[in-house]
Amino acid sequence: MFDINEIREQFPILGEKVYGKPLIYFDNGATTHRPRRVIEKMDEYYYKYNSNVHRGVHYLSNKCTDANEEAREVVRGFINAASTKEIIFTRGTTESINLVAYTFSEAFLHPGDEVLVTEMEHHANIVPWQMACERKGATLKVIPFNEQGELDLSNLDSLITAKTKILGIAYVSNVLGTVNPVAELIKKAHAVGAKVLVDAAQAIPHIPVDVQALDCDFLAFSGHKIYGPTGVGILYGKESLLEQLPPWHGGGEMIKTVTFAKTTYNELPFKFEAGTPDFIGIIGLGEALKFVSEIGMSDIRAHELALLNYAHSELAKIDGMRFYGTATEKSGAISFLVGDIHPFDLGTLLDHMGVAVRTGQLCAEPVMQHYGINGLVRASLGVYNTEQEVDVLVKSIKRAAAMF
Ligand code: C6P
């Protein structure tokens, strides 16, 4: 049973006050909060077991190594990967995408080839590809979106061609909240021999993700957006493909043998995990995924979808409200402007009323350019948000608008 009060009780920060007002947190797209059990799990490892992983023969090191590898198995199960060899620990979505953009382009990108992204990507899924294209003499192509914030697939056959080597696509847009038809696009890409990287940063906390059902080649997400710690993220990659990529960072753990004449590399997934990982963070991420799994991702999706619809209908009653992103399939985020109020001013006033939202370009400048605006206000939902909090958001926006 989805019990919102019980869920909220697990997040100590939700009991905090800002400016003397109860905290209402609608900035989950930027980062979520951590439940007590994640914080306690990490504390437990710092207090009782802390020791470097994969390196020691002693009790503490073995304890941390086992927990690190147990977390890898939890991640594997959570996204239904075929093997833990396909689960690489990184610092976050950004690092995961950079890893693929660099190594994939080294192995497979040549002058004249094309890399395809969408117009609604976060900078993290644009810039690494631009850098790769510049290095390799390839061209970056873009799938546009329409006024509702849905991908315009009418010219897809001219965009996904034999020249396309890889498509990088957000499962869910961090600005528009659009849930993209990634399974369909993966089929299209595979039909021309292209690979697909799914940026699941904004999907993973909200909707069940199954990498085998999607048949994606790579998938990236961050721990801190799914109630886990900062500094740890995941790169999923199909084993056969990861085997074909060169290593990225060099150092300890990613090697098999080193001589000054030649180094041979470790097997997957360690080939891509140079240096000491954030193993306490990894253990915390495992605990966060257990937390959401015990609630159930389908129940989380249902709760958040009901809340999203409620928020849309209540916010729509505000004079001068303009939504950016009204796709049929949405999740997580509602971005808007009210009248001619600058988003920064609105965000600052809301903050003083205890309501945390994000404002600005949201690391997606091409989306702002599409609409000819210089910023937005975004309310992004989490598992602990309620209708009462949406009511406060609406009331606070009305109060703020009345001041202008
Ligand atoms: N978006 C937001 O407020 P990192 O920073 O590596 O954990 O995640 C980067 C990233 C990549 N892709 C998408 C779709 C994202 O939304 C983000 C992070 C935050 O929207 C911070 S800009």
Side-chain angles (χ1 to χ4, degrees):
M1 269 298 287
F2 188 93
D3 183 337
I4 188 73
N5 293 326
E6 201 183 290
I7 289 168
R8 289 181 66 83
E9 271 167 23
Q10 297 184 55
F11 289 85
I13 202 168
L14 297 179
E16 292 295 311
K17 295 202 161 158
V18 290
Y19 308 111
K21 316 234 166 33
L23 168 68
I24 294 187
Y25 189 78
F26 282 122
D27 196 16
N28 296 287
T31 197
T32 55
H33 296 303
R34 295 86 178 102
R36 192 175 278 110
R37 62 188 274 183
V38 169
I39 300 165
E40 286 176 352
K41 184 82 177 183
M42 292 169 67
D43 273 359
E44 183 194 359
Y45 271 78
Y46 276 125
Y47 281 129
K48 291 169 66 176
Y49 306 117
N50 177 55
S51 200
N52 209 334
V53 290
H54 299 133
R55 282 157 175 80
V57 291
H58 55 82
Y59 175 82
L60 293 185
S61 177
N62 287 336
K63 182 90 182 161
C64 283
T65 302
D66 289 350
N68 190 81
E69 294 312 307
E70 192 211 316
R72 201 188 302 273
E73 169 56 24
V74 171
V75 176
R76 185 209 63 74
F78 189 71
I79 60 172
N80 192 32
S83 158
T84 48
K85 289 183 177 177
E86 301 183 319
I87 306 299
I88 296 157
F89 291 122
T90 65
R91 286 191 300 133
T93 309
T94 303
E95 186 170 273
S96 298
I97 297 173
N98 273 276
L99 191 165
V100 177
Y102 188 86
T103 59
F104 183 89
S105 60
E106 280 301 296
F108 297 116
L109 209 58
H110 299 105
D113 287 344
E114 292 177 359
V115 172
L116 189 58
V117 294
T118 85
E119 194 186 3
M120 65 175 81
E121 296 309 309
H122 185 279
H123 297 160
N125 205 22
I126 299 173
V127 183
W129 297 115
Q130 271 175 335
M131 291 160 72
C133 286
E134 268 173 34
R135 263 196 0 266
K136 291 291 169 178
T139 305
L140 190 70
K141 294 271 186 158
V142 182
I143 305 176
F145 65 81
N146 64 23
E147 288 316 286
Q148 287 71 51
E150 289 172 334
L151 289 178
D152 175 357
L153 304 179
S154 54
N155 284 326
L156 200 59
D157 289 341
S158 66
L159 287 168
I160 299 186
T161 69
K163 285 186 179 174
T164 314
K165 288 293 166 287
I166 189 160
L167 163 67
I169 180 168
Y171 201 152
V172 174
S173 156
N174 69 316
V175 180
L176 307 165
T178 311
V179 182
N180 285 318
V182 284
E184 182 190 330
L185 287 164
I186 288 166
K187 273 202 195 89
K188 284 261 184 198
H190 286 173
V192 298
K195 305 298 181 200
V196 180
L197 176 143
V198 177
D199 173 354
Q202 299 291 347
I204 203 81
H206 303 302
I207 54 184
V209 170
D210 181 329
V211 291
Q212 292 191 75
L214 286 175
D215 197 25
C216 56
D217 301 289
F218 303 103
L219 183 131
F221 68 90
S222 302
H224 69 100
K225 293 194 199 293
I226 183 162
Y227 315 105
T230 46
V232 54
I234 297 298
L235 172 65
Y236 157 82
K238 281 183 182 161
E239 186 179 344
S240 56
L241 201 48
L242 290 174
E243 291 287 8
Q244 295 174 62
L245 300 183
W248 189 37
H249 291 157
E253 194 56 33
M254 54 75 75
I255 55 92
K256 197 170 265 167
T257 60
V258 178
T259 68
F260 284 112
K262 186 172 170 56
T263 291
T264 58
Y265 301 115
N266 207 342
E267 59 199 29
L268 290 172
F270 309 111
K271 173 177 136 184
F272 293 107
E273 293 182 354
T276 299
D278 181 359
F279 53 91
I280 302 277
I282 288 167
I283 293 164
L285 173 58
E287 194 63 21
L289 296 185
K290 286 184 194 167
F291 163 73
V292 289
S293 299
E294 284 169 22
I295 300 170
M297 285 309 298
S298 301
D299 284 6
I300 290 176
R301 173 70 172 144
H303 166 73
E304 292 181 350
L305 200 54
L307 200 56
L308 193 72
N309 290 335
Y310 179 74
H312 264 122
S313 66
E314 291 305 303
L315 288 166
K317 294 175 188 164
I318 296 172
D319 281 347
M321 172 61 66
R322 295 192 305 286
F323 293 116
Y324 292 82
T326 52
T328 313
E329 289 290 322
K330 276 198 69 164
S331 160
I334 305 178
S335 292
F336 56 88
L337 289 173
V338 181
D340 57 3
I341 307 173
H342 194 283
F344 183 75
D345 292 338
L346 185 52
T348 306
L349 284 174
L350 290 176
D351 176 47
H352 281 80
M353 297 175 203
V355 181
V357 291
R358 194 170 163 200
T359 61
Q361 303 200 328
L362 311 178
C363 296
E365 286 188 35
V367 177
M368 305 303 138
Q369 288 151 14
H370 177 107
Y371 290 113
I373 55 178
N374 55 19
L376 285 167
V377 180
R378 182 188 70 186
S380 51
L381 308 180
V383 64
Y384 33 64
N385 287 127
T386 64
E387 286 193 0
Q388 289 81 355
E389 288 181 315
V390 170
D391 292 341
V392 176
L393 170 68
V394 172
K395 224 164 61 192
S396 304
I397 294 172
K398 284 182 182 163
R399 267 184 65 199
M403 293 179 195
F404 285 89

